[in-house]
Structure formats: structure tokens, C-alpha cells
Amino acid sequence: MTALPQERRLVTAVPGPKSRELLARKSAAVADGVGVTLPVFVARAGGGIVEDVDGNRLIDFGSGIAVTSVGNSAEAVVRRASAQLADFTHTCFMITPYEGYVEVAEQLAELTPGDHAKKSALFNSGAEAVENAVKIARAYTKRPAVVVFDHGYHGRTNLTMALTAKNMPYKEGFGPFAPEVYRVPLAYGYRWLTGPENAAEEAAAQAIDMITKQIGPEHVAAMIIEPIAGEGGFIEPAKGFLPRMARFAKDNGIVFVADEIQTGFCRTGQWFACEDEGVVPDLITTAKGIAGGLPLAAVTGRAEIMDAAHTGGLGGTYGGNPVACAAALGAIETMRELDLPARARRIGEIMTPRLHAMREKFPVIGEVRGRGAMIAIELVRPGTKEPDAAVTSAVAKACHAAGLIVLTCGTYGNVLRFLPPLVIGEDLLNEGLDILEEALAGV
């Protein structure tokens, strides 16, 4: 495969005529519920560039929602997955197993936080991983309740919709939802009423009080939290909050689950985001960045907890597909060889000061936040903290038209999030930031 030139190029309007033609076909054949952020149809992608069917090359600040952290079609991913494709595509691990699944589980045991004995089970998607983490925690504790946090996102299945905080578009019209799910406050510093300096202590106290009074800790099987809330707005909980909640969980026999589906695999400048405050989860869920773009997910955790489910209680036809496992081993090889945690930190070192400079220039930016290559800006009406979803959408559209892929998120729809591939060149990174600055100047 010819290497994709690492330069932005616009030869038509975005989207171009071929993409518009394909969009018409999509409208006729694909359910309307499957939305599209930017209707350019992709022909090739690699490094920090996505090339569409019209020949436009766009700078990628999305990575397919933090999936292609090692870049699209990374050499080791393609090499290993291609070799596996030639050998066999599927047997079902539960019928006749294969080494790749075991190798991935071994790598996860080595890479995830904590030096305790660990085991893994592999699945297809992040939602599946979270759902199975709940199953495992319930089997281990013999308790029913699950505690989650405001602004959290955990998936689109029935149980994970119940775990997810935001109604539209994830839950609207799809209920009723699974029972025994309880939501408590998150230490969202920017929006904490008494100020960010009080957020960790007060949010933890409120959450613990609600669990104690409304549920009873002895009834809680699992506490599930994203170390940085993803879809909720890239909210990094105020320092001290995560360790306090993990300690409460441990003291009360509650399985502490870190949902690292968006934050994991080098994205935040460490292999896993919970390492930042030394939090060692009982279970950790991973997906997205794990396999360089192929569908794979995992639950990894303390061996005694993972073994609580009866034999045959965990699995699925495609879980830990051999080609996806080969791709994951290639992605992990790439992460190690290129030291992608360091690359993520470098991306943060470039982006954060520039975004802070933009905040000084544009009062629409209420806050710059994030870690490593998981960075966001929250947009508000100047002089207030009132969310401005309309301006956020307008800025995103201006970026798209200029050849920069950016994504929005946030409970209020007012956050621009930046998830560049960890292999992106610094010239493209800075050019993307130039485009963002021009878009902000134009609204």
C-alpha cells in the first residue's frame, strides 16, 4: 500500500460530489437512526490524514473516536491481521480456542494497573465489555445494584443505556431501561457550584451520602466510572475524587470498575488514565484503541473476581475474534515500539498552550481541559457559563469545511474534543490548530 501523503489538500468543497452521491445512496439504504457527523466518504486513511472519495485530504482530530490511536492501517496491525486472515478467520474461541486470544489476555494482564493476578475475557465492543463487567461483579458480590456517575457514557445496549447519563441521542424513546442502576455526582470542577477547589471533596461526600442513604453499600455490586468522562465532555474529575471513591468501594466490598474504553491504550499520556492518581481498579474495561480499528473489547481484572462467573457464563460468538486479536497484538507492538504514551504527552504539550492562548483571545472558550492527546474546549456564552451548543456546532462545521475533522461532545453539546492519532505529525497538529483558531474567529 502506498503511503498516504501527510498534507491537507482540498480539491472540492467538503463534502464533494462523489461523497454527496454516496450520501444519497446511504439515505436510501441505511436507517436514518445511523447518523453521520461529517458526510465525506473515506477512500484511504493513515497517519494524521483521511482522504475521501473526491481526493480531499483532511487532518484527523478524531481517530474514529479514539480508535485509530496507532494510525489507520498501522504496519504491525496490517501485517499481523493479514497473516491471521490467511490462516483462519474464525473458529469461536469457546469451541476450538487459539493462541492469539490467550496472548491478548497475557498482554492485558501485564499492561493494566496493579501487580495482582489478573485474567481477561474478550468481547466485541465497549458496551459489551461494560455489560459483562456488571455480570462479573454481580456474580462475585451476589449483590444487585450498580452505581454510576453524572455525565458518564457507557454504551447503547439496554443495560448500558441505563448506565449512561445523557438522554439525547442515546436513550430517547428506547426505554424502559434495566433496573438497579443509581447515579451519583461527578466532581466536574468547571461547573461545581462552590468552585473547582471544593469539587473533589464535596462531590465525593455527596456521592457517598447518596449511596449510603438511598441504596445501602451492602447492596452495591459495582461502581463504574470513566477516569475522564468521554461523551460527557472530556471531564477530568477534580484531583482526589477518583481515589476517594475507589477507597469507599474497597471499604465496602464494592467492585470498582474503571471504564477506560475511550481513555485507555496511551491516549492520555499513560497506558491507562487511572494511573494518573495511582488508582488500581478491580476491573478495567477496554475497547476502541485496543486493536487499531478492528472490533475488540476486554474486561480485565482481579483473577478471583473474573473467575466468579460460572463456566459458560461469559462469551459470545465473535468475542476475541482471531483477526481482531492479531490486530490488537500489532497495535500493542506499535504502542511499545513508538512509545505512544510519550507521543500522547507531546501532543498535549503542543495543543494545551495553544488552546489556552485561544481562550485568552476568544471569550466563547470557557475552559480548556484534558490530558495527553485527549483534549477539549468547552464553549459558553461569553461572560457566563451558559453552554453554547449552537456556536460549538458552527465551529465544528467551519473546521470540517476547511479540512479538519473535529468531534463534539458534552452533556450540553457544547464541547469540542480533540483525539488526534498518536502518530500524527507535529506540522499537521499545528495546522489543525490554525484551522480551529480561524473557525473560532469566524463565529
Side-chain angles (χ1 to χ4, degrees):
M1 175 178 161
T2 306
L4 189 59
Q6 294 298 293
E7 56 188 32
R8 180 175 65 110
R9 180 182 74 173
L10 296 181
V11 294
T12 72
V14 177
K18 290 180 181 176
S19 279
R20 290 198 298 272
E21 183 182 315
L22 283 164
L23 187 63
R25 287 170 58 189
K26 181 256 183 200
S27 297
V30 179
D32 287 348
V34 182
V36 172
T37 296
L38 173 55
V40 298
F41 282 74
V42 178
R44 297 190 298 162
I49 290 289
V50 171
E51 184 176 282
D52 71 12
V53 290
D54 290 288
N56 298 303
R57 294 194 195 117
L58 287 71
I59 299 172
D60 185 9
F61 273 18
S63 299
I65 319 184
V67 168
T68 54
S69 297
V70 296
N72 251 295
S73 304
E75 185 278 330
V77 172
V78 173
R79 169 171 39 84
R80 287 181 181 246
S82 298
Q84 182 57 57
L85 271 169
D87 288 340
F88 62 93
T89 58
H90 175 77
T91 66
C92 184
F93 187 78
M94 299 178 300
I95 307 301
T96 49
Y98 36 86
E99 186 179 2
Y101 188 118
V102 177
E103 278 191 86
V104 170
E106 289 169 343
Q107 291 285 332
L108 287 165
E110 183 181 329
L111 291 168
T112 51
D115 55 8
H116 50 275
K118 299 174 203 158
K119 292 189 176 183
S120 292
L122 305 185
F123 304 99
N124 303 293
S125 69
E128 262 192 272
V130 173
E131 191 138 337
N132 278 277
V134 172
K135 286 163 58 176
I136 292 162
R138 283 174 168 164
Y140 178 72
T141 61
K142 307 294 191 285
R143 300 171 178 180
V146 180
V147 169
V148 288
F149 292 81
D150 200 10
H151 308 287
Y153 175 85
H154 301 289
R156 294 175 181 260
T157 60
N158 185 263
L159 174 58
T160 55
M161 279 192 295
L163 301 175
T164 291
K166 189 176 179 179
N167 177 55
M168 191 69 183
Y170 307 118
K171 302 163 74 166
E172 174 69 26
F174 298 146
F177 303 112
E180 289 299 322
V181 173
Y182 301 87
R183 197 171 317 285
V184 297
L186 181 74
Y188 187 172
Y190 179 66
R191 295 196 171 276
W192 198 255
L193 288 176
T194 61
E197 68 278 4
N198 300 316
E201 186 179 335
E202 291 180 3
Q206 287 183 25
I208 289 166
D209 187 58
M210 290 171 70
I211 295 165
T212 303
K213 289 195 308 193
Q214 297 181 23
I215 316 164
E218 68 276 12
H219 300 298
V220 179
M223 178 184 290
I224 307 174
I225 190 166
E226 300 165 279
I228 298 175
E231 302 298 310
F234 280 29
I235 303 160
E236 185 178 4
K239 296 294 184 193
F241 180 77
L242 275 177
R244 180 72 186 89
M245 297 312 300
R247 189 162 62 250
F248 174 79
K250 184 176 182 180
D251 290 346
N252 289 277
I254 298 167
V255 176
F256 188 82
V257 184
D259 179 340
E260 292 250 18
I261 287 155
Q262 194 160 168
T263 55
F265 288 98
C266 314
R267 174 55 55 182
T268 65
Q270 292 161 298
W271 278 91
F272 297 96
C274 56
E275 295 176 67
D276 181 66
E277 292 187 86
V279 172
V280 177
D282 297 311
L283 300 179
I284 184 167
T285 59
T286 53
K288 289 191 182 292
I290 193 174
L294 274 75
L296 189 70
V299 183
T300 303
R302 297 184 184 278
E304 68 274 16
I305 299 177
M306 291 298 298
D307 284 343
H310 54 274
T311 300
L314 303 177
T317 302
Y318 294 108
N321 168 271
V323 181
C325 285
L329 294 170
I332 291 168
E333 175 187 327
T334 304
M335 291 170 196
R336 290 183 191 275
E337 285 190 0
L338 299 181
D339 191 3
L340 291 191
R343 289 278 193 103
R345 293 192 296 273
R346 176 62 183 154
I347 288 168
E349 288 166 4
I350 292 169
M351 293 192 76
T352 303
R354 287 207 56 187
L355 292 170
H356 277 293
M358 290 181 212
R359 182 172 179 262
E360 295 297 314
K361 192 174 176 181
F362 305 112
V364 71
I365 301 177
E367 186 178 49
V368 176
R369 58 176 177 253
R371 288 206 310 269
M374 186 173 182
I375 305 285
I377 53 175
E378 178 161 358
L379 304 187
V380 295
R381 296 191 187 281
T384 76
K385 290 188 178 181
E386 185 182 340
D388 199 331
V391 162
T392 307
S393 177
V395 173
K397 283 183 168 60
C399 288
H400 297 163
L404 174 66
I405 298 170
V406 296
L407 311 175
T408 62
C409 66
T411 299
Y412 312 105
N414 69 319
V415 176
L416 283 168
R417 56 174 159 171
F418 310 116
L419 294 160
L422 303 183
V423 297
I424 192 170
E426 292 186 11
D427 54 340
L428 285 180
L429 198 59
N430 278 303
E431 186 179 356
L433 290 165
D434 292 341
I435 292 167
L436 173 66
E437 188 162 359
E438 288 171 19
L440 285 161
V443 296

mmCIF file of all heavy atoms in Angstrom, residues 28 70 72 87 94 102 104 113 120 150 177 243 284 287 389:
data_model
loop_
_atom_site.group_PDB
_atom_site.id
_atom_site.type_symbol
_atom_site.label_atom_id
_atom_site.label_comp_id
_atom_site.label_asym_id
_atom_site.label_seq_id
_atom_site.Cartn_x
_atom_site.Cartn_y
_atom_site.Cartn_z
ATOM 1 N N ALA A 28 -30.914 6.243 1.172
ATOM 2 C CA ALA A 28 -31.882 5.282 0.647
ATOM 3 C C ALA A 28 -31.745 3.895 1.268
ATOM 4 O O ALA A 28 -32.724 3.152 1.374
ATOM 5 C CB ALA A 28 -31.731 5.173 -0.873
ATOM 6 N N VAL A 70 -2.998 4.264 16.906
ATOM 7 C CA VAL A 70 -1.731 3.888 16.267
ATOM 8 C C VAL A 70 -1.702 4.302 14.802
ATOM 9 O O VAL A 70 -0.759 3.977 14.074
ATOM 10 C CB VAL A 70 -1.463 2.369 16.384
ATOM 11 C CG1 VAL A 70 -1.278 1.962 17.831
ATOM 12 C CG2 VAL A 70 -2.574 1.552 15.720
ATOM 13 N N ASN A 72 -4.266 4.792 11.111
ATOM 14 C CA ASN A 72 -5.021 3.856 10.284
ATOM 15 C C ASN A 72 -4.063 2.962 9.510
ATOM 16 O O ASN A 72 -3.053 3.429 8.987
ATOM 17 C CB ASN A 72 -5.911 4.629 9.303
ATOM 18 C CG ASN A 72 -7.374 4.520 9.651
ATOM 19 O OD1 ASN A 72 -7.928 3.430 9.588
ATOM 20 N ND2 ASN A 72 -7.973 5.636 10.043
ATOM 21 N N ASP A 87 -4.609 -17.571 7.606
ATOM 22 C CA ASP A 87 -4.634 -18.842 8.334
ATOM 23 C C ASP A 87 -6.060 -19.299 8.645
ATOM 24 O O ASP A 87 -6.458 -20.395 8.286
ATOM 25 C CB ASP A 87 -3.834 -18.725 9.637
ATOM 26 C CG ASP A 87 -2.336 -18.652 9.388
ATOM 27 O OD1 ASP A 87 -1.897 -19.059 8.295
ATOM 28 O OD2 ASP A 87 -1.619 -18.180 10.285
ATOM 29 N N MET A 94 -14.792 -20.278 22.125
ATOM 30 C CA MET A 94 -15.471 -21.181 23.061
ATOM 31 C C MET A 94 -15.621 -22.594 22.503
ATOM 32 O O MET A 94 -15.968 -23.512 23.243
ATOM 33 C CB MET A 94 -16.866 -20.635 23.411
ATOM 34 C CG MET A 94 -16.836 -19.267 24.083
ATOM 35 S SD MET A 94 -18.506 -18.667 24.409
ATOM 36 C CE MET A 94 -19.193 -18.600 22.756
ATOM 37 N N VAL A 102 -5.315 -15.855 23.951
ATOM 38 C CA VAL A 102 -4.542 -16.013 25.190
ATOM 39 C C VAL A 102 -3.436 -14.956 25.255
ATOM 40 O O VAL A 102 -3.185 -14.350 26.318
ATOM 41 C CB VAL A 102 -3.953 -17.435 25.276
ATOM 42 C CG1 VAL A 102 -3.093 -17.591 26.525
ATOM 43 C CG2 VAL A 102 -5.077 -18.476 25.258
ATOM 44 N N VAL A 104 -3.413 -11.957 23.902
ATOM 45 C CA VAL A 104 -4.001 -10.654 24.224
ATOM 46 C C VAL A 104 -4.288 -10.570 25.723
ATOM 47 O O VAL A 104 -3.990 -9.556 26.380
ATOM 48 C CB VAL A 104 -5.275 -10.395 23.397
ATOM 49 C CG1 VAL A 104 -6.013 -9.153 23.904
ATOM 50 C CG2 VAL A 104 -4.943 -10.228 21.915
ATOM 51 N N PRO A 113 -3.123 -1.561 35.245
ATOM 52 C CA PRO A 113 -2.585 -1.194 36.554
ATOM 53 C C PRO A 113 -2.698 -2.314 37.591
ATOM 54 O O PRO A 113 -3.641 -3.114 37.560
ATOM 55 C CB PRO A 113 -3.454 -0.003 36.972
ATOM 56 C CG PRO A 113 -4.008 0.536 35.703
ATOM 57 C CD PRO A 113 -4.180 -0.642 34.806
ATOM 58 N N SER A 120 -8.589 -12.054 31.897
ATOM 59 C CA SER A 120 -9.401 -11.251 30.973
ATOM 60 C C SER A 120 -10.439 -12.110 30.275
ATOM 61 O O SER A 120 -10.282 -13.334 30.158
ATOM 62 C CB SER A 120 -8.514 -10.582 29.904
ATOM 63 O OG SER A 120 -7.681 -9.595 30.447
ATOM 64 N N ASP A 150 -22.790 11.020 37.176
ATOM 65 C CA ASP A 150 -23.337 12.014 36.267
ATOM 66 C C ASP A 150 -22.335 12.291 35.150
ATOM 67 O O ASP A 150 -21.121 12.253 35.375
ATOM 68 C CB ASP A 150 -23.640 13.302 37.044
ATOM 69 C CG ASP A 150 -24.630 14.195 36.317
ATOM 70 O OD1 ASP A 150 -25.227 13.739 35.324
ATOM 71 O OD2 ASP A 150 -24.810 15.346 36.745
ATOM 72 N N PHE A 177 -35.618 0.954 30.843
ATOM 73 C CA PHE A 177 -34.237 0.525 30.990
ATOM 74 C C PHE A 177 -34.073 -0.454 32.153
ATOM 75 O O PHE A 177 -34.978 -0.641 32.961
ATOM 76 C CB PHE A 177 -33.331 1.745 31.187
ATOM 77 C CG PHE A 177 -33.453 2.729 30.058
ATOM 78 C CD1 PHE A 177 -34.031 3.975 30.256
ATOM 79 C CD2 PHE A 177 -33.022 2.404 28.784
ATOM 80 C CE1 PHE A 177 -34.162 4.869 29.208
ATOM 81 C CE2 PHE A 177 -33.151 3.288 27.729
ATOM 82 C CZ PHE A 177 -33.729 4.527 27.942
ATOM 83 N N PRO A 243 -9.554 8.578 43.742
ATOM 84 C CA PRO A 243 -9.036 7.767 44.851
ATOM 85 C C PRO A 243 -10.021 7.652 46.014
ATOM 86 O O PRO A 243 -10.121 6.587 46.630
ATOM 87 C CB PRO A 243 -7.767 8.526 45.277
ATOM 88 C CG PRO A 243 -7.363 9.309 44.089
ATOM 89 C CD PRO A 243 -8.633 9.672 43.390
ATOM 90 N N ILE A 284 -11.181 -3.473 34.757
ATOM 91 C CA ILE A 284 -10.993 -2.385 33.803
ATOM 92 C C ILE A 284 -11.578 -2.831 32.464
ATOM 93 O O ILE A 284 -11.354 -3.957 32.023
ATOM 94 C CB ILE A 284 -9.505 -1.991 33.705
ATOM 95 C CG1 ILE A 284 -9.282 -0.796 32.791
ATOM 96 C CG2 ILE A 284 -8.633 -3.145 33.277
ATOM 97 C CD1 ILE A 284 -7.886 -0.192 32.915
ATOM 98 N N ALA A 287 -11.610 -1.068 24.958
ATOM 99 C CA ALA A 287 -12.054 -1.317 23.578
ATOM 100 C C ALA A 287 -11.364 -0.267 22.711
ATOM 101 O O ALA A 287 -10.163 -0.057 22.877
ATOM 102 C CB ALA A 287 -13.581 -1.245 23.471
ATOM 103 N N ALA A 389 -24.290 25.372 22.579
ATOM 104 C CA ALA A 389 -24.217 24.252 21.635
ATOM 105 C C ALA A 389 -24.236 24.739 20.193
ATOM 106 O O ALA A 389 -23.602 24.143 19.318
ATOM 107 C CB ALA A 389 -25.370 23.282 21.885
#
